[in-house]
Amino acid sequence: MTQALQRKLVTFEEFITKYPDNSNKRYELHDGVVIEMPPPTGDHEEIILFLIERFILEYTRLKLSYGCPKTAFVKPSESESAYLPDVLFLNRSNLVNEPLWKKESILTQAESIPLVVEVLSTNWRDDYFTKLGRYEGVGISEYWIVDYAALGGKRFIGNPKQPTISIYSLVEGEYQLDLFRGSQPIQSPTFPELDLTAEQIFNAGNI
């Protein structure tokens, strides 16, 4: 589970100064509360690596000016929060408009973030509740939740629960949801020609 490290609220500036590079642990800031992220499992990391590899092949093929940074925070406006997605693709052509990028590797504009992915772990409520609303508020065009262990609530992935990929696509300022399971081909607005199934992603750790 995620662990709140301080009851005393901290500002975004205090968080960025003190926490991100502390002892190789991963932290996020949720409305002024510092959260230590749970250590990932091997399967969790294998899925992330698999997705990054497939996405890079696709945007390279399409000659898109995208990149996948090792560490980049998403900073919603008017919020003392900073989120560290498992996978984030940035639009490099818009980085000149990012006020914090050069100094702190922080993204604030929807135009810089075509797609983010969260691979679920025990803190699944953060991804389905908090981050869903905040990424929508930022205006991020596409948000994936990869629930490979069927950890999420039944309201999100159905009953009986089964491994599910939820893809939220921004339409007129609101997310529209599509669910993918088993051998269903993934349909990604950002990468419409992506040749990938949900099952391939779930089995990434077995390759």
Side-chain angles (χ1 to χ4, degrees):
M1 297 178 65
T2 53
Q3 180 180 358
L5 296 188
Q6 291 192 9
R7 295 190 180 276
K8 177 183 175 182
L9 298 183
V10 302
T11 67
F12 171 76
E13 289 75 16
E14 290 170 338
F15 169 77
I16 291 298
T17 300
K18 182 176 181 181
Y19 282 96
D21 296 321
N22 189 330
S23 302
N24 295 319
K25 294 182 179 179
R26 299 173 73 246
Y27 300 96
E28 292 186 335
L29 185 66
H30 293 204
D31 293 316
V33 178
V34 178
I35 303 292
E36 180 179 339
M37 309 306 290
T41 65
D43 286 343
H44 182 278
E45 295 300 278
E46 290 277 8
I47 288 173
I48 290 173
L49 289 172
F50 177 77
L51 286 173
I52 289 174
E53 289 171 357
R54 295 302 296 266
F55 284 136
I56 289 176
L57 286 172
E58 189 66 7
Y59 73 64
T60 300
R61 182 182 71 84
L62 296 172
K63 297 181 172 59
L64 298 173
S65 182
Y66 287 176
C68 181
K70 178 182 177 182
T71 302
F73 284 94
V74 177
K75 169 68 173 72
S77 62
E78 301 179 359
S79 170
E80 297 297 333
S81 299
Y83 304 119
L84 187 63
D86 288 317
V87 181
L88 182 150
F89 284 90
L90 55 82
N91 177 7
R92 300 170 74 178
S93 63
N94 194 64
L95 294 180
V96 295
N97 300 315
E98 285 286 354
L100 303 174
W101 176 255
K102 289 291 186 181
K103 183 179 179 181
E104 301 287 2
S105 185
I106 296 164
L107 300 168
T108 62
Q109 301 178 6
E111 294 80 7
S112 300
I113 314 167
L115 186 151
V116 295
V117 179
E118 299 287 2
V119 180
L120 249 62
S121 56
T122 52
N123 61 328
W124 63 267
R125 289 176 177 81
D126 290 338
D127 297 331
Y128 277 115
F129 288 103
T130 306
K131 293 182 182 180
L132 176 62
R134 289 294 169 78
Y135 290 157
E136 181 184 64
V138 171
I140 295 173
S141 296
E142 188 171 345
Y143 172 36
W144 290 29
I145 298 178
V146 180
D147 193 350
Y148 69 96
L151 296 174
K154 295 175 183 177
R155 77 183 80 174
F156 300 109
I157 60 175
N159 186 17
K161 299 202 295 184
Q162 57 184 309
T164 302
I165 296 175
S166 304
I167 296 183
Y168 294 87
S169 306
L170 200 67
V171 179
E172 297 181 353
E174 296 183 2
Y175 276 144
Q176 305 296 317
L177 171 63
D178 290 297
L179 302 177
F180 300 93
R181 304 181 179 98
S183 60
Q184 287 180 277
I186 295 295
Q187 297 178 18
S188 166
T190 303
F191 299 109
E193 298 178 18
L194 187 67
D195 184 15
L196 195 60
T197 68
E199 191 171 46
Q200 286 175 303
I201 296 172
F202 299 141
N203 291 334
N206 300 321
I207 294 175

